[in-house]
Every structure is written in C-alpha cells, then in structure tokens.
Amino acid sequence: MRKFYLIPFSRCAKLLLAAIFFIQFSLPGFAAEAQTMNNTNVSFRAKNLTLKEVFKLIEQKTNFLIGYDNVIDAQKRVSLTVKDQSVYSVLRSLLKNYKGSVTQVDNNHVLINVEKQIQSPVAAPVKSTKAVDVPVTGAVTDMSGVPLPGVTVIDVASGRK
C-alpha cells in the first residue's frame, strides 16, 4: 500500500495566499507606462518633407494622432534628423517659429494650438557709396559775420582736415 504525504493545510494556505498576494500586487507594476509626448521617443530622418508629412511620420512611429489648424503652414518644407528624442521636443523644434502650445489631450491625441507669426519687416539693403573727396573752401565767420582767423575745419566722419 502506498503512503500519501499531505502538506498541512496551514502550510498550503500560506503558499496560496503568498501566490495570490504576489500576483495581485506585482503584475500591475509590469503594466506599460502611459504613453506621453515626454516619454515617447522617436528617431527618423526627414529630408525636404512638408510639416504635414513629418506629422504623419510621427503618427506612424507612435500611437499619437496630431491635430492642428490652418494657422500652421503645413506645406512648409523642412529637413531634420531626429535620434531618440521625445515627441514633445521634436514638435517644439518643428514649431520654433510659432507662438503657442503643444498639448496632449489624452493617451493618443496631441493638439497643436499656435498663433499666426507676424513677419518682421525686412529692412531694405543699404547701398554703400564710395566717399568722394570734395574740396571745401571758404571763410568761417562768427554770428555777426566777422571772419575768424586760424580756424581749421575737420570732417567728423573721416577725421581729415
């Protein structure tokens, strides 16, 4: 006849409780961290792509959908190389000439809200002209018209007499 060895109930209960405790409290620690613009990094090379194409590229490499309004010139062409940078820093870099915000609405949606940039007027280029020596002759007089003896005239710009 065979003998069966039984583990005492209290020992089985302790092992079962320990296993349940381990499963209950350790598995959520292994769950994936929520995707944010700051903790999701991307790497890509964009050469002469429109902003719209770069946004689509970021969407393909992440789970984000990027929303923006027509204030952004989506047809503007850009070239950039990104290596392991956060989505937020890439978007801020792309939008450096715009004033506004980049906001994550939920786990999958990013909203770009910017204002139209005011173009600063470009100053017309100043044409340089060569200095021309012009002889100056005449008399230096005081307020009453009396000539002043021994006066020298100096050109302030060149310092010449």
Side-chain angles (χ1 to χ4, degrees):
M1 208 162 179
R2 287 186 159 170
K3 289 186 177 181
F4 293 99
Y5 293 98
L6 297 174
I7 300 174
F9 178 75
S10 63
R11 192 169 187 201
C12 281
K14 287 179 187 177
L15 287 173
L16 183 61
L17 286 175
I20 291 172
F21 182 79
F22 175 78
I23 292 170
Q24 178 69 30
F25 294 106
S26 66
L27 286 182
F30 295 118
E33 186 176 314
Q35 174 178 271
T36 68
M37 291 186 301
N38 292 317
N39 71 9
T40 302
N41 293 350
V42 291
S43 297
F44 62 86
R45 179 176 293 185
K47 187 173 182 181
N48 199 29
L49 296 179
T50 64
L51 279 176
K52 183 177 183 176
E53 292 169 330
V54 175
F55 293 155
K56 289 291 182 195
L57 185 61
I58 293 171
E59 289 176 345
Q60 290 170 358
K61 293 190 169 287
T62 66
N63 289 327
F64 290 121
L65 293 174
I66 300 172
Y68 55 93
D69 57 21
N70 60 1
V71 173
I72 294 176
D73 180 9
Q75 298 307 313
K76 177 183 176 189
R77 296 210 168 262
V78 295
S79 294
L80 75 152
T81 300
V82 175
K83 185 173 182 183
D84 200 31
Q85 291 183 10
S86 71
V87 171
Y88 179 79
S89 65
V90 173
L91 291 175
R92 289 307 307 166
S93 173
L94 286 169
L95 302 169
K96 65 184 173 207
N97 295 328
Y98 290 92
K99 182 180 180 182
S101 63
V102 177
T103 309
Q104 184 170 348
V105 180
D106 59 25
N107 285 342
N108 299 93
H109 294 90
V110 174
L111 179 62
I112 299 172
N113 186 15
V114 294
E115 298 173 10
K116 194 169 197 171
Q117 288 297 90
I118 299 171
Q119 297 293 328
S120 59
V122 178
V126 177
K127 292 183 179 180
S128 63
T129 57
K130 291 187 177 184
V132 178
D133 287 335
V134 177
V136 177
T137 59
V140 179
T141 59
D142 66 6
M143 298 291 274
S144 59
V146 177
L148 297 173
V151 175
T152 305
V153 177
I154 299 176
D155 179 12
V156 176
S158 68
R160 293 187 294 168
K161 293 182 181 180

